[in-house]
Amino acid sequence: MNILFVCTGNICRSPLAEGILRGKFLRYNIKGAVDSCGFETFHLGDPPDHRAQKIAKQNGIDISGHRVRIFHEGDFDRFDRIYVMDSYHFDSVMRVARNQNDRNKVDYIMNSVEPGRKIPVNDPYFEHESAFETVFHQLDQACDVIAKSLVPYSFK
């Protein structure tokens, strides 16, 4: 099972989700790939925001090796599920979708916790460091649900 997370700049939310889910893949012995990307080129090739790295590290996760990349059409071919953080990302991914199969892969990450609610994961970039803690806990909760739903697939 290959999972992709999408946010705006790929420096806060999506690399955190990627790091969290990678850890859960290891913990639950789930086979597959986890990646993240964004839609804005402002930080192309940069590592995650230092505050995202800090909160990840405080929780035993190293995301320092991640580098920002941009979402592209080929991601629909590489990934089984694509999780977005909010309506902007959802709409942006859907505009790139080529067909219904592509569209069926896309969902809000928080729908894994509260199905159908489309609860956004707020962007902590312009916020105080505590906002990164809130985002981390939201993503950790969602990634735990996602990982546990994939455990049966890990042996296929």
Side-chain angles (χ1 to χ4, degrees), residues 91-121:
D91 293 343
S92 297
V93 171
M94 288 303 204
R95 276 194 294 279
V96 179
R98 303 162 293 191
N99 53 49
Q100 190 59 42
N101 186 51
D102 289 353
R103 289 186 284 279
N104 290 341
K105 294 180 178 187
V106 184
D107 200 2
Y108 290 76
I109 188 170
M110 293 310 294
N111 278 353
S112 62
V113 178
E114 296 190 46
R117 299 267 326 268
K118 301 178 184 175
I119 297 169
V121 176

Side-chain angles (χ1 to χ4, degrees), residues 63-131:
I63 61 172
S64 63
H66 173 78
R67 294 298 175 263
V68 171
R69 78 170 186 85
I70 302 302
F71 182 85
H72 57 86
E73 183 180 283
D75 287 327
F76 286 110
D77 299 322
R78 292 182 48 224
F79 296 96
D80 301 299
R81 295 185 188 172
I82 299 171
Y83 291 102
V84 301
M85 303 295 152
D86 61 33
S87 61
Y88 166 72
H89 310 128
F90 185 85
D91 293 343
S92 297
V93 171
M94 288 303 204
R95 276 194 294 279
V96 179
R98 303 162 293 191
N99 53 49
Q100 190 59 42
N101 186 51
D102 289 353
R103 289 186 284 279
N104 290 341
K105 294 180 178 187
V106 184
D107 200 2
Y108 290 76
I109 188 170
M110 293 310 294
N111 278 353
S112 62
V113 178
E114 296 190 46
R117 299 267 326 268
K118 301 178 184 175
I119 297 169
V121 176
N122 293 325
D123 189 349
Y125 186 74
F126 293 107
E127 303 296 327
H128 185 267
E129 199 167 293
S130 63

Side-chain angles (χ1 to χ4, degrees), residues 21-80:
L21 191 62
R22 278 182 196 263
K24 292 180 188 300
F25 267 38
L26 290 172
R27 181 177 311 130
Y28 297 122
N29 194 32
I30 298 169
K31 307 296 183 220
V34 181
D35 197 3
S36 66
C37 62
F39 274 97
E40 302 295 337
T41 59
F42 303 127
H43 300 282
L44 193 59
D46 289 348
D49 183 281
H50 71 279
R51 296 164 296 173
Q53 290 187 55
K54 180 179 178 182
I55 191 66
K57 189 172 187 172
Q58 288 172 349
N59 287 276
I61 299 168
D62 181 6
I63 61 172
S64 63
H66 173 78
R67 294 298 175 263
V68 171
R69 78 170 186 85
I70 302 302
F71 182 85
H72 57 86
E73 183 180 283
D75 287 327
F76 286 110
D77 299 322
R78 292 182 48 224
F79 296 96
D80 301 299

